[in-house]
Amino acid sequence: MEIGIDSFVATMPDPATGETMPAADRIERLLEEVEIADRVGLDVFGIGEHHRKEFLDSAPAVILAAAAARTRQIRLTSAVTVLSAADPVRVFQEFATLDLIAKGRAEIIVGRGSFGEAYPLFGFAMRDYDALFIEKLDLLLKLRDEVHVTWDGRFRPPLTGQGVFPRPYQKTLPIWLGVGGTPQSFARAGALGLPLMVAVIGGGFHRFRPLVDLYRDAGRRAGHPAEALRVGLHAMGFVADTTQTAKDAFFPGWARMFTEIGRERGWSAVSRSQFEAMCSPEGAFLIGDPETVVQRVLAANEALGGLSRITFQMSSAMLETAAMQRSIELLGRNVAPRIRTLTKKHG
């Protein structure tokens, strides 16, 4: 199993001072985090895409290119690219260029995004939410597989055999499909034979098992080999020397972020008791000391019928710089080796 980290490059006011870290400093901290992840042997680092004040990840390919120049082994991916609001030609060119810089370590996780700001920003209508994604995914896959593409659709001018360059370092640029909880999305990924990244930010892992089974069934019916039907999990996670330390470092940022986002969506403020429930064996947070996190990851792996990758969303603890760096070190040196050994032994 691959173990990694996803970041939305969150930037929030310090609860004690009310001051917000300068954006350039926050980006520098993020690049240091990627360097540490590479050094301690983690497999992958992902950068999200949002177009909101509290996140600095509106141009993930740019951040990943900077990270590529400072790392040697770790794979670098979006998490996710909001493909519905983007031009697939430009997305392919950006990530093919990233792959050249990284010498074959680039990937793309595409999705529709959990926020709607990108659609009006780039001139698209939310009513076309699903149609945009289906059409643009079709084009992106053609661009991956063919140099000269002939294609026609509703939302961009046609291609009539133009060459799309540069080509990536890898023979085939990996493209994952990022999903939330829509059955159609799971079935679509399976039918296309694309690896699946499941975002679980609440509830429990078991409730996603029927959807993962749907993905695998759709893939088998479409004739894709089992090894192509990889399942990844994106979840809130954080590691510290003790479970209490991990919770105390992660909770303030998580509470602020989800209370503010929830206010926009008409939800009530989150509470410490809710957070504690999500950190329990029945919840979906991978937060605790190394052994606790190992056991939580193994439980998630069993609940979802076998995982190829787990990525920890740690951005909520961004104010705790030393704790963030310690968490990455513990994840790479204490947690990941144990998980790889145990999943291989029982796999």
Side-chain angles (χ1 to χ4, degrees):
M1 184 191 298
E2 296 175 336
I3 307 295
I5 296 169
D6 289 333
S7 177
F8 297 163
V9 201
T11 176
M12 296 174 288
D14 188 309
T17 66
E19 295 182 0
T20 300
M21 184 184 299
D25 293 348
R26 177 65 183 111
I27 293 288
E28 179 60 29
R29 296 273 179 86
L30 181 279
L31 293 173
E32 290 170 0
E33 292 165 14
V34 186
E35 287 185 279
I36 295 169
D38 185 50
R39 187 167 65 246
V40 301
L42 289 173
D43 299 292
V44 60
F45 205 108
I47 301 294
E49 180 189 339
H50 300 83
H51 301 271
R52 300 171 58 91
K53 182 180 180 180
E54 62 266 37
F55 303 117
L56 299 176
D57 60 351
S58 64
V62 177
I63 298 173
L64 292 168
R70 299 168 65 152
T71 56
R72 293 293 177 265
Q73 301 295 327
I74 198 165
R75 298 192 67 78
L76 302 166
T77 184
S78 58
V80 302
T81 293
V82 185
L83 186 63
S84 305
D87 182 345
V89 173
R90 203 67 178 126
V91 169
F92 181 82
Q93 290 176 322
E94 289 171 351
F95 280 85
T97 303
L98 169 64
D99 200 47
L100 294 173
I101 296 169
K103 292 185 169 57
R105 293 184 284 128
E107 300 183 358
I108 312 175
I109 302 176
V110 297
R112 291 173 291 189
S114 57
F115 295 92
E117 289 84 358
Y119 292 83
L121 184 64
F122 295 106
F124 298 103
M126 282 296 294
R127 66 175 177 272
D128 296 322
Y129 182 79
D130 199 51
L132 281 162
F133 184 73
I134 293 171
E135 178 176 299
K136 293 186 177 192
L137 179 60
D138 174 66
L139 176 54
L140 182 64
L141 295 176
K142 288 184 182 298
L143 294 165
R144 179 193 65 177
D145 297 335
E146 304 172 22
V147 177
H148 297 272
V149 174
T150 299
W151 177 92
D152 193 18
R154 289 174 55 196
F155 299 108
R156 83 173 310 280
L159 294 175
T160 57
Q162 298 96 323
V164 178
F165 304 103
R167 305 308 296 178
Y169 188 93
Q170 297 171 87
K171 182 178 180 181
T172 301
L173 185 65
I175 297 174
W176 294 61
L177 189 59
V179 298
T182 306
Q184 293 88 341
S185 297
F186 285 79
R188 180 182 298 131
L192 293 171
L194 295 176
L196 182 80
M197 179 59 69
V198 185
V200 180
I201 61 172
F205 298 122
H206 284 92
R207 68 190 181 95
F208 286 85
R209 178 61 180 269
L211 295 170
V212 171
D213 289 343
L214 175 64
Y215 160 73
R216 291 178 170 131
D217 289 342
R220 282 192 290 268
R221 288 197 303 271
H224 299 294
E227 58 269 21
L229 302 173
R230 303 174 64 201
V231 178
L233 170 66
H234 162 99
M236 298 285 177
F238 200 75
V239 193
D241 292 286
T242 70
T243 293
Q244 193 61 50
T245 301
K247 291 178 180 179
D248 290 344
F250 196 84
F251 174 74
W254 173 83
R256 184 182 184 102
M257 182 184 299
F258 278 83
T259 294
E260 292 191 1
I261 291 171
R263 188 180 297 118
E264 297 175 10
R265 301 181 179 187
W267 304 341
S268 58
V270 298
S271 66
R272 182 74 189 220
S273 61
Q274 289 175 307
F275 175 76
E276 292 289 343
M278 292 306 301
C279 294
S280 73
E282 291 73 36
F285 287 3
L286 310 173
I287 295 176
D289 62 73
E291 185 58 27
T292 296
V293 172
V294 166
Q295 295 307 316
R296 297 288 291 117
V297 168
L298 294 176
N301 182 59
E302 182 178 358
L304 295 175
L307 295 168
S308 297
R309 174 181 293 179
I310 289 186
T311 53
F312 287 59
Q313 213 296 72
M314 294 185 177
S315 290
S316 297
M318 52 79 55
L319 293 170
E320 299 284 349
T321 301
M324 279 286 291
Q325 294 181 354
R326 177 63 174 161
S327 181
I328 295 168
E329 290 175 351
L330 288 170
L331 184 62
R333 291 181 172 146
N334 295 60
V335 175
R338 284 259 294 142
I339 292 170
R340 293 180 189 125
T341 297
L342 290 170
T343 53
K344 184 177 181 181
K345 184 183 299 182
H346 297 100

